[in-house]
Amino acid sequence: KKKAACPGLGLFYTVLSAFLFSVASLFLKKIEDVHSVEVSAFRCVFQMAFVLPGLIYYKTGFLGPKGKRIFLFFRGFLGSSAMILLYYAFQVMPLADATVITFSSPVFTSLLAWIFLKEKYSIWDLLFTIFAITGVVLIARPPFLFGSNVTGIEGSYTDHLKGTIAAITSTVSAASTFVILRKVGKSVHYFLSIWYYAVIGLIGCVIALFVMNEWRLPYCGKDRVFLILIGLLGLGGQIFLTKALQIEKAGPVAIMKTMDVVFAFILQILFLNHLPTWWTVGGALCVVASSSGTAIRKWRQSLKKAKQNEI
């Protein structure tokens, strides 16, 4: 007899994944003398070390089906670019602000899926998109809307603006990878997708580091430990999120993943001594409401479609 599935286990995995990702982001903020591109390179090395045995075990090969390689290449390029830009945003702007902006990804995914995959895009999707953009504006607080005296940011406003642009670009890139993965479907093994992500990311990071002349080992042992922990925690977060999606519907997982924002706020207050402003809280509410609304709507659509198929 098969053992009964533990109720709520998938949601527990999602919360655990959110916690691991948030702690990895905290360690990234604590690193002092390592460029975000170099951190991304170490993350790619950990990904490759994890995926390589899986590729050998499942005999998937290293290139994938001929007709899918171009999609895998762009999945790897856009996914690794999203990671590098996100790590840069984490380093130059408040942790909670960058995390909240990335949560607008489901909204951009719906928009890109409508453009490239001809998926349905309703008035509700448009409303959620407006909510997400409003939340991002409240966090970025551009001077032409909020004046020149912007408070509650880390460092200079120029760095804050650069971090915001990087976070938005990272979010759009991540949304593009989701659309590509939908296009590919189940014809390509999950491990192969991660392999392209890690290999292309590592190559891009190494080239960028040599061009910028930023490649160097961390000066102190503490930063080296943080680098290893970021790789392990990021890998653990991805594993638990994958396991959650295997045993739980995507809708509840997407909603529960909003715990990323909660953990980001808590860790920022406890360990970085940075209280979020009311603008950030308002922006977070807009973005979380938008992403949750998108997830709930997609979930209900999938349930409705499943019932129609049963009939």
Side-chain angles (χ1 to χ4, degrees):
K1 292 183 180 178
K2 289 185 178 181
K3 290 183 179 179
C6 178
L9 183 61
L11 300 182
F12 171 75
Y13 283 154
T14 307
V15 174
L16 187 56
S17 167
F19 178 73
L20 294 178
F21 280 133
S22 299
V23 176
S25 304
L26 174 66
F27 288 151
L28 182 62
K29 294 287 290 184
K30 290 289 187 179
I31 290 180
E32 297 175 357
D33 298 319
V34 183
H35 197 277
S36 58
V37 179
E38 189 172 348
V39 179
S40 303
F42 274 92
R43 171 77 183 274
C44 289
V45 170
F46 274 94
Q47 297 272 33
M48 290 173 65
F50 168 75
V51 171
L52 186 58
L55 293 178
I56 297 171
Y57 178 78
Y58 289 108
K59 300 178 181 178
T60 61
F62 296 96
L63 296 177
K66 285 187 178 180
K68 306 294 182 182
R69 289 174 188 174
I70 185 66
F71 295 111
L72 287 168
F73 171 80
F74 279 109
R75 182 267 184 270
F77 175 75
L78 291 169
S80 57
S81 299
M83 174 184 61
I84 295 168
L85 290 167
L86 179 60
Y87 280 5
Y88 175 76
F90 279 139
Q91 286 189 331
V92 300
M93 69 187 300
L95 179 63
D97 290 19
T99 304
V100 168
I101 291 175
T102 61
F103 253 78
S104 57
S105 180
V107 179
F108 287 111
T109 301
S110 297
L111 182 60
L112 293 174
W114 171 58
I115 296 171
F116 294 106
L117 301 181
K118 308 303 179 186
E119 292 187 5
K120 189 177 179 182
Y121 191 80
S122 68
I123 190 69
W124 282 105
D125 294 308
L126 177 61
L127 182 64
F128 294 143
T129 303
I130 294 172
F131 258 86
I133 293 172
T134 302
V136 172
V137 169
L138 290 176
I139 292 169
R141 282 164 280 167
F144 67 89
L145 289 177
F146 293 84
S148 56
N149 296 322
V150 181
T151 58
I153 62 174
E154 287 182 3
S156 66
Y157 180 74
T158 302
D159 285 341
H160 182 81
L161 190 60
K162 287 180 180 177
T164 301
I165 294 171
I168 294 171
T169 309
S170 169
T171 302
V172 175
S173 297
S176 301
T177 63
F178 289 137
V179 173
I180 291 171
L181 289 173
R182 282 190 195 177
K183 177 71 175 178
V184 172
K186 296 181 179 180
S187 60
V188 174
H189 197 278
Y190 176 74
F191 277 138
L192 195 59
S193 176
I194 300 178
W195 175 254
Y196 267 82
Y197 168 92
V199 171
I200 293 174
L202 181 60
I203 294 171
C205 287
V206 171
I207 293 172
L209 287 168
F210 276 107
V211 170
M212 297 186 297
N213 196 25
E214 287 282 352
W215 181 266
R216 61 182 182 273
L217 283 174
Y219 177 72
C220 68
K222 183 178 68 173
D223 282 351
R224 297 178 187 183
V225 173
F226 282 155
L227 272 176
I228 295 171
L229 290 175
I230 288 170
L232 292 174
L233 290 169
L235 183 58
Q238 193 166 42
I239 290 171
F240 280 114
L241 183 60
T242 303
K243 287 180 70 67
L245 289 168
Q246 285 176 344
I247 61 178
E248 185 62 77
K249 289 183 173 64
V253 170
I255 297 166
M256 190 59 69
K257 212 177 172 310
T258 55
M259 288 299 296
D260 276 4
V261 177
V262 177
F263 287 134
F265 275 102
I266 293 172
L267 295 175
Q268 177 175 297
I269 294 169
L270 291 179
F271 297 101
L272 301 177
N273 298 318
H274 186 88
L275 289 172
T277 63
W278 286 110
W279 293 115
T280 298
V281 174
L285 290 174
C286 287
V287 172
V288 170
S290 173
S291 60
S292 298
T294 302
I296 292 170
R297 188 171 176 277
K298 296 294 182 185
W299 181 29
R300 291 183 62 184
Q301 284 180 343
S302 65
L303 291 176
K304 186 178 179 181
K305 189 174 181 180
K307 286 183 179 178
Q308 288 176 346
N309 290 336
E310 288 178 2
I311 296 171

